Amino acid sequence: MRFTSRPKMNYMPGTASLIEDIDKKHLVLLRDGRTLIGFLRSIDQFANLVLQQTVERIHVGKRYGDIPRGIFIVRGENVVLLGEIVSRQQTHTLTLQDLEKESDTSLQQVCIEDILEEQRLQQQSRQEAEKTKHLALKERGLVMPRSDIMDEYGVQHQY
C-alpha cells in the first residue's frame, strides 16, 4: 500500500484567512442588524474584531446616515457578515450599464438627526403593524408569541 501526501492548501483555515485583510476597510453586519464600517485592525481565533475609525451606518429606504463610533470591539459571535470595501480605483473600468444600474440604486446621505428620526418613525410604523397583525390573529383565535417579549432563545417571558 502506498501513501500519498495530502494536497497543499491554498488557503488558511478559519479566521487565519482574515490576516490578509488587516488594515483594510470593511463592512460588518451584526446579529442585531447594525451595520459598521471601519478599518480592521485586529482579529483573533474567535473572530473577535477590532475596528478603527468606525462609523455605524443607518439605512432607511434609499437614505443613510453615518454615526462616528471610533474604535469598536466586536465579539465574534455577533458577526453575521464581514466584507472588504473596495474603492472605485481598485475595481475594473465601469461600463455605461454599470453606471446606470448604480444611479438607480444609489443612496443619499443625510445628517445624523434626520436619519435617526426616520429610523424612529420606521420602527414605530413596524410596531403598529405588528400590533394590528397580533390583534387580527387574536380575533381569529390564533395567539402568536410577540417578538418584544421573547428572549434570544425563543423563550417567552410574562411581564
Side-chain angles (χ1 to χ4, degrees):
M1 184 183 295
R2 189 171 148 196
F3 293 99
T4 58
S5 63
R6 288 184 170 182
K8 291 185 180 181
M9 295 190 314
N10 293 331
Y11 64 93
M12 291 184 279
T15 58
S17 63
L18 293 173
I19 290 174
E20 299 169 350
D21 288 342
I22 299 287
D23 296 333
K24 294 180 182 175
K25 195 172 192 177
H26 283 75
L27 179 138
V28 181
L29 181 62
L30 300 180
R31 197 166 63 172
D32 65 2
R34 289 186 290 169
T35 302
L36 303 174
I37 297 174
F39 289 91
L40 183 65
R41 296 299 185 207
S42 181
I43 188 160
D44 66 8
Q45 71 270 25
F46 303 108
N48 297 321
L49 310 174
V50 176
L51 299 171
Q52 187 179 23
Q53 298 176 5
T54 307
V55 294
E56 179 179 349
R57 181 159 288 178
I58 298 174
H59 296 93
V60 179
K62 289 193 171 194
R63 299 170 62 149
Y64 74 93
D66 290 339
I67 302 172
R69 297 293 188 196
I71 294 180
F72 211 91
I73 299 172
V74 181
R75 189 175 169 108
E77 67 183 16
N78 293 317
V79 175
V80 174
L81 179 128
L82 172 71
E84 182 183 353
I85 296 176
V86 180
S87 68
R88 288 181 190 220
Q89 292 84 15
Q90 296 171 327
T91 60
H92 61 85
T93 306
L94 296 175
T95 65
L96 184 58
Q97 290 176 337
D98 291 335
L99 292 173
E100 288 174 0
K101 288 178 189 175
E102 186 176 296
S103 66
D104 291 342
T105 60
S106 62
L107 300 174
Q108 175 189 6
Q109 185 172 7
V110 296
C111 70
I112 297 169
E113 293 80 16
D114 290 348
I115 200 68
L116 288 174
E117 179 63 19
E118 288 184 37
Q119 184 185 42
R120 185 187 67 76
L121 292 172
Q122 184 184 49
Q123 289 172 344
Q124 188 177 18
S125 173
R126 285 181 182 168
Q127 287 175 347
E128 289 172 7
E130 187 66 28
K131 284 180 185 177
T132 303
K133 178 180 164 185
H134 182 71
L135 288 173
L137 290 171
K138 189 175 181 180
E139 289 173 359
R140 291 169 177 79
L142 299 171
V143 180
M144 300 293 290
R146 291 179 29 201
S147 61
D148 61 342
I149 57 174
M150 292 176 62
D151 65 14
E152 63 185 37
Y153 302 107
V155 177
Q156 191 170 3
H157 297 277
Q158 300 295 326
Y159 295 107

